Amino acid sequence: MQAKTRELCLLLLLGLGSQGALPPPCDSQIYCHGELLHQVQMAKLYQDDKQFVDMPLSSAPDQVLQRFGELAAAHNHSIPQQQLQAFIQEHFQSVGQELQSWTPEDWKDSPRFLQKISDPKLRAWGEQLHQLWKKLGKKVKPEVLSHPEQFSLIYSAHPFIVPGGRFLEFYYWDSYWVMEGLLLSEMPETVKGMLQNFLDLVRIYGHVPNGARVYYLQRSQPPLLTLMMDSYLTHTDDTTFLRDNIGTLALELDFWTENRTISVSLGGKSYVLNHYAVPYGGPRPESYSKDAKLADTLPEGDREALWAELKAGAESGWDFSSRWLVGGPDPTLLSSIRTSKSVPVDLNAFLCQAEELMSNFYSRLGNDIQATKYRDLRQQRMAAMRAILWDEEKGAWFDYDLEKGKKKLEFYPSNLTPLWSGCFSDLDAVDKALKYLEDSQILTYQYGIPTSLQNTGQQWDFPNAWAPLQDLVIRGLAKSPSPRAQEVAFQLAQNWIRTNFEVYSQRSAMFEKYDISNGGQPGGGGEYEVQEGFGWTNGVVLMLLDRYGDRLSSGTQTAFLEPHCFTAALLLSLLPSFLPQ
């Protein structure tokens, strides 16, 4: 409970827009805060700020800091760029030195799901994506364990699959879709090792950090660890592994309860839900110069709050998006970010699902008391989500703005996450969600579901589309017994598969996001160039090829019809199933 008290006090401090400094994201005076970090990042020695904070040290940090102090004093704390560059070359190693490539030992040719794919071009593509796991495998060198102070990378005992591109370490929520792909590739031992890495992090730090770097330590990401365990169990039935780690899964959910809980009052009742909040100060080390420059546009007393909100935006996984740009006079500016002032639909849907899974896990292990506890928690959350986030008129759930005291009614695919997570009780919810998609014109997009309908220049907005968000909507609809919902899910899957396949055909690469505004292209916007690889994109494609492989086509794009024609066309497509045989 000490952690809870500490973070609640800091949140209170943050909410008051205090002049006081919040604690840094980690203790390292090289990778998280301090003059060395500030001078190097503000000198813009590298195009991407992440490059510097990923560089291992060549000697002990105390020695490096002493040498730096001497250099800074000699130049009155304004070191010329050439000398600064020479200092980095002397005392730091190049990025990636602490990792080695790793070919998963359980990789094998021709996993069974490939045989489900009728289209020969898609089957060949699926085989190539299956091959990519070997390129994305990494293993941490033993020196990270023996000298952790010389690295920003957090040691992991087991090898893992990374997203790709600039992301040389593993990330929390990315890894769920990676694992789903790995399980289809019949690689359960790789998945088990990745799960063990996450469980180790929870045991050491009390939660899963955003990614495996010290500068990510004080923020998490969408909580999918319990779901990862469920997927692994579905494929392996490894009850012993569950029994050994159920307490650690509970510990992770406790972190969200103790540090990310918010109370919302409505109609004389008080409801408890969760939000993203990271009460730690200073610019994000991996985006230091951008955060420092952005803070310069604000009064000094508001800068710490801005930096904390940026970290909360990173914790959401949506860094950054119009979802969080709700403060200040101009909601298109990143400085208007207020992530912690929103109650997000997806976060609460993920936790609701985790509570259901924990109840199921404890039942499976014969612990009825804990099973009842999590079942009750889920029921309380579902009631709160219905009261605070559900909009009956629009037929969807919406993020709740704590400052304005009302729902934010803009379109985001996350609005339908409760369908995906099974956290709803209204039997008509799927039909209402379909109407919501039609009314929002979402079904007219040919190349994928847009991340929003607002073009802010941020990467989690229009015109970008992201693989995990396609999965949230597609599987949310596909789970329904409604033939109409299932057909829409298939058409959305078909659109996304064609976009990914066409870009792959042109560029021989998979990307982290796609621009769907003018044909499928690699995405853009945000803080860095679009990255190739790409872990979760590959995972979602494999999931769709597995689910719909007998129907998917690599051929010409077929867009949805306009909404007024949509229902009629859908009825025609379903007609054969209703005719007498």
Side-chain angles (χ1 to χ4, degrees), residues 44-58:
K44 295 298 292 175
L45 299 181
Y46 307 100
Q47 189 176 354
D48 184 348
D49 284 354
K50 190 175 188 300
Q51 184 170 341
F52 171 65
V53 290
D54 288 358
M55 295 168 70
L57 291 167
S58 300

Side-chain angles (χ1 to χ4, degrees), residues 166-167 290 318-322 450-452 454-467 496 499 503 507 510-532 534:
R166 76 198 279 264
F167 304 113
K290 292 182 177 68
W318 290 53
D319 41 342
F320 294 105
S321 169
S322 58
T451 307
S452 78
Q454 301 176 64
N455 193 341
T456 61
Q458 299 301 331
Q459 64 171 348
W460 287 84
D461 272 318
F462 190 86
N464 284 341
W466 294 78
W496 186 246
T499 294
V503 173
R507 296 172 179 253
M510 300 292 288
F511 292 88
E512 61 169 344
K513 56 184 179 274
Y514 292 83
D515 179 339
I516 60 163
S517 61
N518 185 24
Q521 298 295 331
E527 299 184 301
Y528 55 84
E529 295 299 313
V530 66
Q531 301 296 300
E532 292 183 16
F534 197 86

Side-chain angles (χ1 to χ4, degrees), residues 1 19 29 80 93 123 181 211 213 244 252 301 330 357 409 505 507 510 528 541:
M1 293 299 288
Q19 303 281 336
Q29 291 185 54
Q93 301 172 38
R123 191 184 316 124
R213 295 279 178 184
D244 291 345
E252 198 234 352
D330 187 349
L357 292 172
L409 298 178
S505 298
R507 296 172 179 253
M510 300 292 288
Y528 55 84
V541 166

Side-chain angles (χ1 to χ4, degrees), residues 89-288:
Q89 287 173 350
E90 182 181 351
H91 294 286
F92 289 80
Q93 301 172 38
S94 57
V95 167
Q97 293 296 304
E98 72 277 48
L99 289 158
Q100 59 192 60
S101 295
W102 170 73
T103 300
E105 291 159 17
D106 54 352
W107 190 95
K108 60 183 180 183
D109 280 315
S110 303
R112 288 184 295 275
F113 84 89
L114 291 171
Q115 305 314 310
K116 297 182 181 180
I117 305 169
S118 300
D119 185 308
K121 290 182 181 177
L122 292 183
R123 191 184 316 124
W125 179 44
E127 174 64 42
Q128 290 171 332
L129 298 187
H130 172 61
Q131 295 276 349
L132 281 179
W133 299 131
K134 294 188 286 187
K135 291 187 177 180
L136 295 172
K138 299 288 180 187
K139 188 176 183 179
V140 181
K141 292 181 180 177
E143 48 263 40
V144 181
L145 179 61
S146 55
H147 296 286
E149 70 282 355
Q150 291 182 210
F151 304 89
S152 66
L153 189 74
I154 299 169
Y155 180 76
S156 298
H158 303 274
F160 46 86
I161 302 295
V162 299
R166 76 198 279 264
F167 304 113
L168 300 177
E169 57 286 312
F170 61 77
Y171 285 76
Y172 183 4
W173 80 314
D174 291 60
S175 295
Y176 165 67
W177 285 276
V178 169
M179 288 181 187
E180 288 285 11
L182 290 168
L183 289 168
L184 287 171
S185 288
E186 300 170 32
M187 298 167 65
E189 286 306 307
T190 296
V191 170
K192 185 176 185 178
M194 291 173 69
L195 264 173
Q196 287 172 308
N197 288 336
F198 284 126
L199 292 161
D200 287 344
L201 289 169
V202 175
R203 279 188 277 269
I204 296 167
Y205 301 109
H207 66 281
V208 181
N210 182 150
R213 295 279 178 184
V214 293
Y215 52 76
Y216 289 146
L217 272 177
Q218 299 302 342
R219 62 190 202 236
S220 189
Q221 260 192 338
L224 298 175
L225 181 59
T226 310
L227 183 59
M228 294 176 192
M229 176 66 85
D230 184 63
S231 296
Y232 171 73
L233 289 173
T234 300
H235 281 76
T236 64
D237 204 29
D238 189 352
T239 306
T240 302
F241 187 64
L242 173 65
R243 184 177 289 107
D244 291 345
N245 293 289
I246 186 77
T248 308
L249 295 177
L251 190 63
E252 198 234 352
L253 293 185
D254 289 346
F255 166 80
W256 291 90
T257 301
E258 294 175 6
N259 300 303
R260 302 292 190 263
T261 294
I262 197 83
S263 181
V264 185
S265 297
L266 191 69
K269 287 192 70 175
S270 185
Y271 299 92
V272 175
L273 288 163
N274 289 77
H275 67 151
Y276 296 109
V278 185
Y280 287 82
R284 290 168 297 147
E286 80 282 7
S287 299
Y288 193 101

